[in-house]
Amino acid sequence: MDTRTIRKTFIDFFTKHGHLEAPSSSLIPDEPTLLLTNSGMVQMLPYLLKQKNPPHIRMSSIQKVFRTVDIDDIGIDGRHLTFFEMLGSWSFGDYYKKDAIHLALELLVKEMEFDKEKIWVSVFKGEEPIPKDTESIKYWLDEGIPNERIVELGWKDNFWGPPGETGPCGPSTEIYYDMGEALSCGKEDCKPGCDCDRYLEVWNAGVFMEYYKDEYGKFSTLPQKNVDTGAGLERVAAFMQGKTDCFDTDLLRQVVDLVCKKLHITDYDTNPKTKRSVKIITDHSRAAVFLISDGVMPSNEHRGYILRKVLRRAMAQVSINKGQAPFFTDIIDLIVSLYSDYYPNLLTQKEHIKEVITAEELKYSKTLQSGIKNLEKIFHTKGEVSGEDIFKLQDTYGLSPEIAIDLMNGLGITFDKESIATTYESSMQTQKNRSRLGSSFTLGKIIEEQFKNFPPTVFNGYNSLVEKANVLHIDRTESAYLIITDKTPMYAESGGQAGDKGTMTFVNGIVSISNVKKTKRGVFVHIADRNDENDSAIVLPDGKTSYPIPVTIEVDEINRKRSSYNHTATHLLHWAIREVLGKDSHQKGSYLDAGKLRFDFTSHKDVSKEDISKIETLVNEKIKEHAQVDIAEMQYTDAKKEGAIGLFEEKYLDRVRTVKIGNFSFELCGGTHASNTEELGTFRILKIEPVSEGIKRIRAVLE
Ligand code: SER
């Protein structure tokens, strides 16, 4: 069955069973914590959370997805793709495990002619705090899958989501296909879950989304039980076309063949090295075409960085194989012609895509050529390339260590990983960290590890917004500088309040700081984007300069003030919620920055429109009362005695900081605030939405 027929068979099958087809959403998701759309369920998030009514309670889609975590694996096997099409279906609080399992089997066996005898399945084995999925086992048995072909796996294989850091998730049941003993690793316990090629995953036949994972890693139950299924179209096509490699399927193989033709490659099927090169070019150019068609532009941060990264990696492979820039024009034509029947915006975007890729290519080809020339020269004169050389190439030509390694591999330059371990590995680590950052915004985890040996930063920003300080360390990644100082007036993201923005003045110029984070031990990490201004202003230690480097740090006052007002408004909101809904309502989490605030709280009863309007009115009354905001430090026991409320009381030490507004609100809090509620303006609730069972979220702004 060819790819187009598979798309149609899948959609027709689910339509026949009462599902409504949703068109693919953009690769740029609505969900702010997610870099790129990484699964079909992303556009379904409001329905899974029951925040919005779905157009239909059963839906299906073929969704464009991009998985940043797989970038480095492309070309190594035939299964990984960065961009792919995902076949998906959903039940929003309608049918559950029994029907999901039945539908999955019926589609594969009856419509797609998979051999039922070769089907294995996996179910969630149960790991604290989520119980074993015994129901799915029962339903598989009922469907005639014998016990010996049902395996139980844990978090890694059989629990899916949330797609970002928080959101809906649940145990899954997956279908594997036995490709035959010849492909087995031969180990006695070889079965689904094993890394070898014998049992290949065909379909995540059902994520049973009944949980919500919050920002503290806790699970609660969702207002409804959902089914979310997903299968990579290219993998299904490979199975159906008798291939083991996605790049050999009807559409992708045409791109592979064109790349080979253009590069005069004749040994693609027999030479693993050329195969890897061509697969990288094929996968990455298709990914770039789709990313650009959805509005992503190359840059040094976020999704623009991902696009630049895939383009540059593809270009490196083109250069290694002696291809000339501009290389991609007719490849883009082919990709558009293969996919525009299902994704018509490719046609309207075609010229734009060509312009963007060609401009990137022409800009980067000089870097690549210098990189190749220098790597070859260093290798020929010294007989080896060191980690230091790689860093020099990065400094001088902007050639990332990652591309340098790709080039060395492709040029046949051998290098001893061990001997360049310190510099090369640490740089690679930063790269990897940064791509992990890209995939899920887990910067917190990264800086925790990276800066564990620095002293806690002295924070003086409650009272002053400008300060002279010393830079103790700068880490440079491709998209950002991470700067550690001995002291700072900049507030680091904590207690639900966003980090400050501001500037850091070096002798060479002014660096814009876009955010500040801190480690659990209190090391503040100032984040500056990589751009031309920051690049030329920042002073990095070299032969002449060494740490500490003196700087002046200045907080963006307007941004700080607006965050402070939103923080005070958050306390007023907390107070008003408890006034209206009762004292058993309490805070579950919050987030605020200069523009908006959100507040999660427990409420076991429904919150009516009248309640919301009462809450809003109460907050505005308190603003108009011009209540004084008093901040104090006191003994924890005294604060408690006086009735202060706090979210994470166990975190507080002996001395605590308290924020008192008028004589009605009294909270433990480390954030920044207005000095009087009169500064706040008008408080407006934008919406209230359920987060999980018993937990609601209010989104609000000050106007
Ligand atoms: N969200 C699940 C996955 O991506 C099922 O669609 O595997």
Side-chain angles (χ1 to χ4, degrees):
M1 207 181 260
D2 65 23
T3 298
R4 293 185 177 102
T5 317
I6 298 172
R7 282 197 202 110
K8 184 166 160 26
T9 308
F10 181 86
I11 292 295
D12 285 352
F13 174 81
F14 279 101
T15 306
K16 194 168 77 192
H17 289 91
H19 294 65
L20 176 74
E21 181 188 1
S24 174
S25 62
S26 165
L27 282 165
I28 301 179
D30 282 341
E31 167 61 35
T33 64
L34 203 57
L35 196 64
L36 290 165
T37 299
N38 61 0
S39 53
M41 56 83 81
V42 170
Q43 66 162 315
M44 309 292 171
L45 276 166
Y47 315 139
L48 294 163
L49 293 167
K50 222 182 167 187
Q51 289 167 347
K52 265 197 203 159
N53 285 332
H56 201 70
I57 50 172
R58 299 175 178 202
M59 295 190 71
S60 64
S61 78
I62 294 169
Q63 172 69 47
K64 301 177 267 190
V65 300
F66 189 101
R67 294 209 167 158
T68 47
V69 284
D70 291 332
I71 293 182
D72 297 325
D73 292 331
I74 303 306
I76 294 169
D77 61 26
R79 279 174 280 159
H80 284 90
L81 298 164
T82 54
F83 167 87
F84 62 96
E85 296 175 77
M86 193 154 195
L87 307 167
S89 63
W90 291 270
S91 150
F92 305 111
D94 184 27
Y95 63 82
Y96 206 43
K97 298 183 180 180
K98 184 172 189 296
D99 290 344
I101 285 172
H102 177 74
L103 286 172
L105 212 53
E106 186 167 307
L107 173 64
L108 289 188
V109 177
K110 296 229 174 94
E111 309 271 337
M112 292 183 166
E113 294 173 0
F114 277 74
D115 181 354
K116 191 169 172 187
E117 299 311 308
K118 291 189 188 165
I119 285 182
W120 285 61
V121 299
S122 66
V123 298
F124 187 59
K125 70 175 179 187
E127 290 201 82
E128 271 305 312
I130 309 293
K132 174 170 163 170
D133 185 4
T134 46
E135 289 156 285
S136 290
I137 299 180
K138 176 182 176 312
Y139 298 133
W140 284 119
L141 289 170
D142 290 350
E143 291 286 341
I145 302 294
N147 222 345
E148 53 278 17
R149 298 212 307 269
I150 303 176
V151 297
E152 296 176 19
L153 298 171
W155 291 118
K156 185 169 94 42
D157 299 281
N158 272 85
F159 194 91
W160 202 90
E165 281 200 340
T166 62
C169 52
S172 64
T173 187
E174 311 208 1
I175 297 182
Y176 291 78
Y177 206 53
D178 182 356
M179 304 300 286
E181 215 165 336
L183 290 173
S184 170
C185 57
K187 288 185 199 135
E188 223 168 85
D189 59 350
C190 176
K191 58 180 181 199
C194 179
D195 278 341
C196 78
D197 282 341
R198 174 158 183 187
Y199 299 99
L200 297 188
E201 187 195 321
V202 194
W203 192 2
N204 195 348
V207 179
F208 300 119
M209 288 199 164
E210 53 180 292
Y211 299 105
Y212 181 89
K213 189 172 172 197
D214 69 18
E215 46 217 284
Y216 316 111
K218 291 232 165 61
F219 294 99
S220 49
T221 45
L222 288 175
Q224 71 189 7
K225 291 182 174 175
N226 309 289
V227 178
D228 158 41
T229 82
L233 173 59
E234 293 80 350
R235 285 195 193 180
V236 174
F239 288 114
M240 301 205 62
Q241 294 168 16
K243 312 281 184 198
T244 49
D245 190 320
C246 293
F247 290 89
D248 286 336
T249 52
D250 56 333
L251 300 187
L252 272 179
R253 181 69 201 209
Q254 295 185 49
V255 185
V256 165
D257 288 343
L258 179 60
V259 173
C260 287
K261 189 170 147 216
K262 285 178 67 74
L263 293 174
H264 311 291
I265 287 174
T266 49
D267 59 354
Y268 173 82
D269 289 306
T270 51
N271 182 344
K273 209 168 129 193
T274 23
K275 194 172 219 173
R276 180 167 177 265
S277 262
V278 173
K279 281 184 176 178
I280 292 175
I281 299 170
T282 303
D283 172 273
H284 289 8
S285 44
R286 183 174 71 147
V289 164
F290 275 93
L291 285 169
I292 299 168
S293 75
D294 275 344
V296 181
M297 288 295 283
S299 76
N300 282 343
E301 56 184 13
H302 295 151
R303 39 185 83 97
Y305 171 77
I306 301 293
L307 169 60
R308 183 161 273 173
K309 177 169 172 166
V310 293
L311 276 172
R312 289 183 173 181
R313 290 195 67 203
M315 288 171 205
Q317 296 303 329
V318 170
S319 295
I320 290 164
N321 288 286
K322 314 239 172 316
Q324 295 296 324
F327 179 80
F328 292 92
T329 323
D330 43 2
I331 295 177
I332 299 167
D333 281 331
L334 176 63
I335 294 170
V336 171
S337 76
L338 293 175
Y339 291 94
S340 52
D341 58 332
Y342 200 78
Y343 304 101
N345 76 327
L346 290 177
L347 268 185
T348 49
Q349 296 291 317
K350 189 160 98 174
E351 291 314 311
H352 168 66
I353 296 168
K354 281 187 187 168
E355 273 164 30
V356 173
I357 293 184
T358 307
E360 257 320 90
E361 237 193 314
L362 296 177
K363 200 156 69 186
Y364 196 59
S365 67
K366 260 200 231 123
T367 306
L368 276 175
Q369 295 323 320
S370 317
I372 291 175
K373 219 168 64 204
N374 278 284
L375 283 167
E376 281 178 329
K377 194 164 126 204
I378 295 165
F379 188 61
H380 287 133
T381 41
K382 295 202 310 189
E384 63 164 8
V385 177
S386 68
E388 219 184 320
D389 295 323
I390 292 176
F391 278 110
K392 273 196 199 136
L393 286 177
Q394 184 178 21
D395 263 356
T396 328
Y397 302 104
L399 185 78
S400 71
E402 187 183 40
I403 298 280
I405 299 297
D406 272 352
L407 291 179
M408 290 202 290
N409 276 324
L411 296 167
I413 296 179
T414 49
F415 55 96
D416 179 8
K417 251 192 170 183
E418 288 299 308
S419 75
I420 57 172
T422 27
T423 43
Y424 161 72
E425 283 294 343
S426 78
S427 156
M428 282 307 274
Q429 195 49 45
T430 317
Q431 282 293 95
K432 283 210 184 105
N433 286 345
R434 209 208 31 68
S435 35
R436 267 194 277 144
L437 163 67
S439 65
S440 60
F441 287 65
T442 50
L443 184 60
K445 285 187 203 119
I446 297 161
I447 62 172
E448 212 55 65
E449 185 49 35
Q450 214 147 300
F451 302 118
K452 64 177 178 221
N453 295 326
F454 285 90
T457 314
V458 177
F459 172 63
N460 296 324
Y462 290 133
N463 306 318
S464 99
L465 297 180
V466 189
E467 184 156 26
K468 287 194 186 312
N470 289 302
V471 171
L472 303 181
H473 182 77
I474 303 176
D475 249 2
R476 182 166 57 163
T477 75
E478 257 197 37
S479 65
Y481 294 95
L482 307 177
I483 308 171
I484 312 293
T485 55
D486 54 352
K487 47 192 171 167
T488 187
M490 296 191 76
Y491 185 82
E493 182 181 309
S494 55
Q497 179 174 335
D500 273 337
K501 296 185 189 306
T503 55
M504 194 176 281
T505 307
F506 285 74
V507 280
N508 288 2
I510 298 175
V511 171
S512 305
I513 305 294
S514 54
N515 196 1
V516 187
K517 302 247 180 194
K518 71 176 174 192
T519 69
K520 289 203 185 80
R521 286 181 48 254
V523 180
F524 283 46
V525 183
H526 304 78
I527 302 170
D529 298 338
R530 297 262 343 233
N531 54 38
D532 291 348
E533 292 81 50
N534 287 350
D535 279 347
S536 61
I538 247 166
V539 176
L540 287 164
D542 51 25
K544 281 173 256 143
T545 327
S546 61
Y547 295 124
I549 301 166
V551 288
T552 303
I553 307 176
E554 186 163 358
V555 176
D556 175 336
E557 190 175 348
I558 295 178
N559 185 75
R560 159 72 79 85
K561 271 191 178 152
R562 294 179 54 177
S563 293
S564 302
Y565 299 161
N566 273 327
H567 206 149
T568 306
T570 305
H571 285 211
L572 293 181
L573 172 62
H574 188 186
W575 165 81
I577 286 172
R578 285 158 59 90
E579 284 299 297
V580 174
L581 301 176
K583 296 286 186 279
D584 59 339
S585 274
H586 57 265
Q587 179 171 359
K588 284 301 276 185
S590 64
Y591 185 79
L592 65 96
D593 58 23
K596 60 191 179 304
L597 67 93
R598 80 166 197 241
F599 189 81
D600 296 350
F601 59 100
T602 57
S603 163
H604 291 286
K605 54 181 190 185
D606 279 346
V607 182
S608 65
K609 274 203 181 119
E610 290 70 43
D611 292 333
I612 289 296
S613 116
K614 261 192 229 155
I615 290 169
E616 192 178 78
T617 311
L618 271 184
V619 172
N620 282 315
E621 276 172 19
K622 288 299 174 191
I623 292 176
K624 286 198 199 106
E625 264 179 24
H626 297 186
Q628 186 72 24
V629 180
D630 291 315
I631 295 181
E633 262 205 18
M634 60 177 75
Q635 288 294 115
Y636 173 68
T637 41
D638 292 339
K640 261 213 115 164
K641 233 184 279 160
E642 287 183 36
I645 51 177
L647 187 50
F648 305 113
E649 304 201 356
E650 71 273 15
K651 268 205 335 213
Y652 291 95
L653 304 169
D654 282 358
R655 301 278 305 164
V656 293
R657 189 167 178 271
T658 59
V659 177
K660 195 177 233 164
I661 310 178
N663 58 2
F664 54 92
S665 159
F666 189 34
E667 293 197 33
L668 303 185
C669 176
T672 67
H673 284 268
S675 49
N676 189 297
T677 58
E678 71 179 321
E679 294 163 68
L680 269 48
T682 306
F683 174 79
R684 195 157 69 81
I685 293 180
L686 298 178
K687 66 172 171 181
I688 175 157
E689 57 203 23
V691 172
S692 61
E693 193 77 39
I695 301 182
K696 312 252 180 327
R697 169 171 296 170
I698 282 181
R699 294 184 191 272
V701 287
L702 289 171
E703 290 177 332

